Amino acid sequence: MSNSTNCLRGLIISASVLLLAACATVSDSHNQAVAQSAPNGMVSLDSRDFDQAWIRSDLDVSGFTAVIIEPAEIEFDPAWARSDQRTGSRLPKDLADIDGTREEMLKVIDQGIRQALKNDGRFRVVETAGPGVLRLRPRVDDLHISAIDPMKMVARSDQYVHSVGHGRAGIEVIDSVSGEVLMQMSDPRETRRYPNLQLANPGLVAADFIEWYQRFSEDVLNQMSPS
């Protein structure tokens, strides 16, 4: 075998070793990053219902019979707050009542989670913390509503949409006595999608977002089976 062939084989073997070592380093770094991102005392939950889900490894909700529902934390998609990024962008930006929409969406999220709890039937809704009481802390990030002023419609212009919006639905489930976080879930989701364009009136926007957060809440409750 010629010296040039031996040199070529040596280079290939060396490159392969270096590539495998690099892959192992990347994999180790990724695993370390995942491990570091896990909340204290919680493990990742492998579920197709959520793209981020953490749960206490020793979670047992059999002793809980009631919940407190906190007001949702709501953050809009930054692009939605800019007039040049929203449906009907030729209308003036000040026609979008962002503060008013946030207040209406707080009611919508509250209705969605209450309907999910009613359908589930395991938990009473109470106002006071105590033994056997969970604290539910809902939140919505990157909320995008496919209308200018979806809950008040001060912009006198018809707007037609295939869905009323999307966002990242999330929730924390907390022991109301110890303050310990028992579960954290979030998932980016779109509201019901219509094959034909629908008029984006306030009733449609509210109803579809109630259903949107209700479905998310039901998926969370399904993970809370007694041990």
Side-chain angles (χ1 to χ4, degrees):
M1 184 178 293
S2 67
N3 289 335
S4 60
T5 300
N6 287 330
C7 288
L8 180 58
R9 175 176 291 179
L11 287 173
I12 292 173
I13 293 173
S14 297
S16 299
V17 170
L18 290 173
L19 180 59
L20 289 172
C23 290
T25 301
V26 170
S27 178
D28 289 343
S29 298
H30 174 72
N31 291 336
Q32 290 174 4
V34 170
Q36 291 171 357
S37 66
N40 186 36
M42 305 180 80
V43 296
S44 177
L45 176 67
D46 185 14
S47 171
R48 63 182 181 182
D49 292 325
F50 315 101
D51 82 328
Q52 292 184 10
W54 306 96
I55 190 168
R56 293 284 306 185
S57 58
D58 57 350
L59 177 64
D60 180 3
V61 299
S62 60
F64 293 94
T65 60
V67 298
I68 298 170
I69 305 173
E70 294 189 356
E73 294 184 26
I74 296 176
E75 296 295 335
F76 290 97
D77 179 350
W80 188 82
R82 297 199 302 268
S83 61
D84 61 341
Q85 295 294 319
R86 286 187 268 106
T87 303
S89 60
R90 290 174 294 178
L91 295 173
K93 178 180 178 179
D94 58 8
L95 288 178
D97 181 2
I98 293 178
D99 290 338
T101 298
R102 186 189 302 276
E103 289 302 313
E104 294 295 333
M105 287 301 297
L106 285 171
K107 300 173 187 176
V108 163
I109 299 305
D110 186 73
Q111 289 183 58
I113 194 169
R114 286 176 186 272
Q115 186 59 52
L117 287 165
K118 180 180 179 180
N119 293 345
D120 184 80
R122 283 180 290 166
F123 304 99
R124 296 177 294 112
V125 178
V126 299
E127 301 295 330
T128 306
V133 179
L134 294 168
R135 188 180 298 277
L136 306 183
R137 185 171 294 163
R139 70 172 295 120
V140 177
D141 291 294
D142 297 325
L143 178 62
H144 185 104
I145 306 176
S146 303
I148 284 290
D149 192 13
M151 309 307 283
K152 298 181 182 300
M153 293 297 176
V154 298
R156 298 176 182 176
S157 176
D158 289 344
Q159 299 168 65
Y160 292 87
V161 297
H162 282 294
S163 76
V164 302
H166 55 83
R168 174 177 283 275
I171 199 167
E172 283 187 335
V173 180
I174 303 164
D175 185 323
S176 72
V177 174
S178 68
E180 182 179 50
V181 178
L182 306 179
M183 298 170 65
Q184 287 181 350
M185 273 93 171
S186 70
D187 195 56
R189 300 188 179 193
E190 184 180 26
T191 58
R192 179 188 307 186
R193 189 160 189 85
Y194 297 96
N196 299 317
L197 287 169
Q198 302 291 312
L199 178 63
N201 60 70
L204 181 72
V205 173
D208 281 12
F209 268 109
I210 289 172
E211 180 191 49
W212 175 80
Y213 200 81
Q214 176 187 334
R215 286 188 282 108
F216 171 78
S217 300
E218 289 172 345
D219 289 339
V220 172
L221 289 168
N222 286 338
Q223 299 296 332
M224 296 170 60
S225 300
S227 299

